[in-house]
Amino acid sequence: MKKRKWSIALVALALLLAACGGSGDTTTTASGGAEPTTTASGGAEPTTTADGSGTVGETAYEHLNQAMAGDFEGTSVEIVAQWAPDGAEAVSFDAALQPFRDATGIDVVFEPTVEYETALQVRVDGGNAPDIAQIAQPGKMVQYAEAGALVNLSEWFNVDQLTTDLCCGFVDLGSHDGSLYGVYWKTDVKSIVWYPIQGFADNGYEPPTTWDEMIALSDQIVADGNGSPWCISIESEAADGWVATDWMEDILLRTAPPEIYTQWYNHEIPFNHPEVLEAAEYMHQIWFTDGYAYGGNTYINATFIGNTQDPMFDPAGPQCWMQKQAAWIPGFWGENKDFTDPAEWPNQPGEDVGFFYFPTIEEEFGSPVLGAADMFVMFNDRPEVRALLEYLATPESSAPWIERGGFLAANKNVPADSYTYPNDQLAAMTAEATTFGFDASDLMPADVGAGTFWSGMVEWVGANGEGTEEIFQSIEDSWPTG
Amino acid sequence: MSEAVKLPTPVENGRKWAALRDVAIGAGVIFVIWLGLRILRDPEAFAGMGPLAGKLLQALLAIVLGIGGIWALFIVVNALVEDLPARVAVILRPWVFVLPALAVVGVYLVYPAIRTIIQSFTEVPEGGGVLSNYTDAFADPAVQIALRNNVIWLLVAPTAAVVIGLAFAALADRVKYESLAKTFVFVPLAISMVGASVIWGFVYAWRVPGQPQVGIINAVIQYFGGEPLAFLQEIPINTFAMIVIMIWLQVGFAMVILSAAIKGVPVELTEAARIDGASELQNFFKILIPSIRGSIITVFTTIAIAVLKVFDIVFVLTGGNLETEVIALRMFDAMFRFRNFGQATAMAVILFVAVIPIMVVNVRNLRKQGIGA
């Protein structure tokens, strides 16, 4: 709760600063955009210098090699990303950039922002775009690309290398109209359910491997008088409801063929297709069965997503037992949250709390994973900016964050043994998955995927699961025409 | 001044030289400003100084150039006008001072407003008619809820703020520690809407029944054995819970203005009424309120305009979910979340049209009081 309010208070300030910076910096970007033709052609020569010096290991990327040879020393590149100030993720991301800074002498400026998506939009609209920006929604990338704001990477990027490196069809997801715009870097696997290991052991509970077992376990917990089986909540700054959309998507991947999933987010079938309503029934069973969700529907709507699992850590023993959330959630566990040092966390993932795979529902659809991923796009074309983007395409760029924990690389050539818990398991889970479903709400038009789908889920929870068909119908009706 | 026109020739000659000098100075000033702007626009100009020093120097130059440049331009243009024949100068001089202001209003207010209105008719989805942004808007259930909520806000918030503010002003008028008492009511006015929303977010906070309640209201309710209420999740309590915040913010404003108005009512009037046997209540309703009617209308309309534009409170507390949507938030979402400029501009125009009648009442009322021209 507290975090959100402060962040909003800061937005106004951030927007103001962005707007102020606008007039002064506009020209920087504009002229910066015009120049690279000269600089880039000038940059073609140094390749020889890079070859000549030969001090640094060659990569498959031209500008990166030049940068490693020190050709762009003293220049500066600004990169922005959604990882919030003071969060472990922002610190880890900064750490990931450090080897590049050290090796090239390029000053990579990363300042975390709040209300990231709006702030980025304002800067792009104001002609004051950062050099490189992280984007979580492929739809956003398409928007920027169609607006002509993005640098087309196909013209110079080593796409072949990228195609060998990235998993899960990420090159396609980073492309639009046959041109590459986004380089995927980080993924999240959402198809996991966290549970208290000791609590399970004490009560003789086993992590379920099928949906039916999961329901049976839920009933068992209720029958044992051990509180509520599920910790669920969806309040999340200006994005209330997205946790619920993840549930819908994860279930749909398990109850319908992958084609249905694709057709659904492309709106080739109605939003409220019978297959989708069937998935909603499964979700309904867990969310709205009396006694299943801790605190009932009010808790779901009123509790910040970072506090969802607090009752799991109640001193009197777990008050709720299972939480479906991606692997970043341990960052919110515990009282004295020293985000920068996971060793200080009172609830150690892997020791006190573990996770199981969100189980298969129908055998024929195998074991899919639902995930999301972050890409980097480029707004200003300068050789040192190209070098940084190329660096982010290498497996090496993932190493510092992997070491710090909480990172799953989009690059499948990252050595599997470099991962620690829980990402070693997640990497294996991703490798074994029959389907990788990219978060559908991120692929839908924002009006739905970040609008009515979210608000519809909040409304559904508010009504304690009543009026399912009407709510899904109203989301269908809200799909933009044309 | 009319005699000045028929000045002897030597002086006229001198004036010509003065005019030439002023033109030269003017050209110089414009050159310096142009040069300054060039430096400001040059990304390399401050590159050698390190990021912070460069930025600071750039900002300093911008401020000096902005303020000094405008100041110099004013003086130069004024001097140039002075050089013209007096009759022309008299006509031109006011424009020298008014035109920049008009230009700023034109560029930053009138032009965008007109463009917004035009866009709301032209930025239509493929195959849509001129009015399709508006028909789409009114057909959208979320917008319908927003319109309904804005009406509720408009009916409740200004009325309550005026009634409470008036009551407080009238009562505090007779208290010994009037200014201290008024300070408490006035302080919220100094708090931003976002700040107030954060504060009230904690006041309304809900925890699972039986758990320690963080929110003050639910803590009290639970202490006395009641069931905690999720003020911001429960429809329709959530909308009213947020209206309370607006009232809390605006009561201070209403009180200050109305208190001043009450003090302006001649004592003879109320005393005469008392002598004629009017009770305190009669005195209040039949003498005091009619006497300060103008101020009441001003306060009401001012708060009404603020209420119509309400955004921050809803954005912070519910994000427009659970039937709490308002027009301004809808506009923001259409603009920044959905990137639907047609919808966003249509919402802006609807809001604009809704504010107009209140503005008219307000301006008329001010004119009646002889404040506005």
Side-chain angles (χ1 to χ4, degrees), chain A residues 256-275:
Chain A
E259 304 83 65
I260 289 281
Y261 186 79
T262 313
Q263 288 166 356
W264 181 54
Y265 66 69
N266 285 329
H267 205 227
E268 289 153 10
I269 56 170
F271 185 91
N272 56 347
H273 188 271
E275 292 273 19

Side-chain angles (χ1 to χ4, degrees), chain A residues 4-5 8-9 25 27-28 31 118 121-122 125 143 238 240 294-295 298-299 301-302 446-447 450-451 454-455 458, chain B residues 40-41 43 55 58 125 194 198 201-202 206 208 211 230 233 315-319 321-322 332 336-340:
Chain A
R4 161 191 186 176
K5 316 300 178 199
I8 289 162
D25 287 18
T27 36
T28 322
S31 64
T118 312
Q121 185 78 59
V122 168
D125 288 350
Q143 257 177 29
D240 298 354
Y294 177 81
T298 311
Y299 184 85
N301 261 349
D447 311 50
W454 287 354
S455 59
V458 176
Chain B
L40 280 179
R41 292 166 80 96
K55 283 264 178 215
Q58 194 176 19
V194 173
V198 174
F202 288 117
W206 175 93
V208 171
Q211 296 289 321
Q233 276 73 39
F315 179 73
V316 174
L317 290 177
T318 68
N321 280 312
L322 300 167
F332 175 88
F336 289 104
R337 256 163 78 182
F338 313 147
R339 306 301 290 163
N340 188 336

Side-chain angles (χ1 to χ4, degrees), chain A residues 176-192:
Chain A
H176 176 61
D177 277 348
S179 297
L180 181 74
Y181 290 100
V183 173
Y184 274 91
W185 191 56
K186 178 180 187 295
T187 69
D188 283 311
V189 171
K190 297 170 178 239
S191 305
I192 54 172

